[in-house]
Amino acid sequence: MAILGVSADPVRALQSFKTKQKLNFPLLSDPTHKMIESYGVWRMKKFMGRSFKGIVRSSFLIGPDGKIEEIWDEVKAKGHAAETLARLSA
């Protein structure tokens, strides 16, 4: 099993974030949004009455055959790791 994070942020910013948060998995930089758009998570968002395009935090479980087995859309960080681990244990 592999865990990867993807962001539109530059590599340097992701390295700092990874160190600060003590993450033990790779963070991939996609400043052109090519992969982010292909997964359908670059969408319109709203914040404080303003609409803008941004990444909708989502998780994808990809099986050994490369097919998406499950999608968690618009996830909240709190509790999501436990939810994902429960799904993997099932």
Side-chain angles (χ1 to χ4, degrees):
M1 174 175 50
I3 298 172
L4 304 172
V6 181
S7 172
D9 292 337
V11 172
R12 178 176 255 171
L14 292 177
Q15 288 171 336
S16 296
F17 180 78
K18 182 178 177 177
T19 300
K20 183 178 179 182
Q21 298 299 321
K22 299 178 182 159
L23 301 178
N24 63 353
F25 54 88
L27 297 178
L28 308 176
S29 175
D30 182 20
T32 64
H33 310 142
K34 188 173 181 177
M35 182 165 77
I36 295 166
E37 286 181 17
S38 72
Y39 277 84
V41 295
W42 185 253
R43 300 189 281 220
M44 290 303 294
K45 298 171 72 171
K46 288 187 178 184
F47 182 69
M48 297 183 72
R50 192 172 73 92
S51 295
F52 59 95
K53 280 236 173 176
I55 298 173
V56 175
R57 184 179 288 156
S58 306
S59 294
F60 297 83
L61 175 61
I62 301 172
D65 59 359
K67 293 183 181 177
I68 295 174
E69 293 184 9
E70 188 156 348
I71 299 171
W72 291 272
D73 196 40
E74 299 185 31
V75 299
K76 305 292 182 217
K78 186 175 183 177
H80 183 56
E83 178 185 4
T84 305
L85 288 171
R87 166 57 174 86
L88 293 172
S89 298

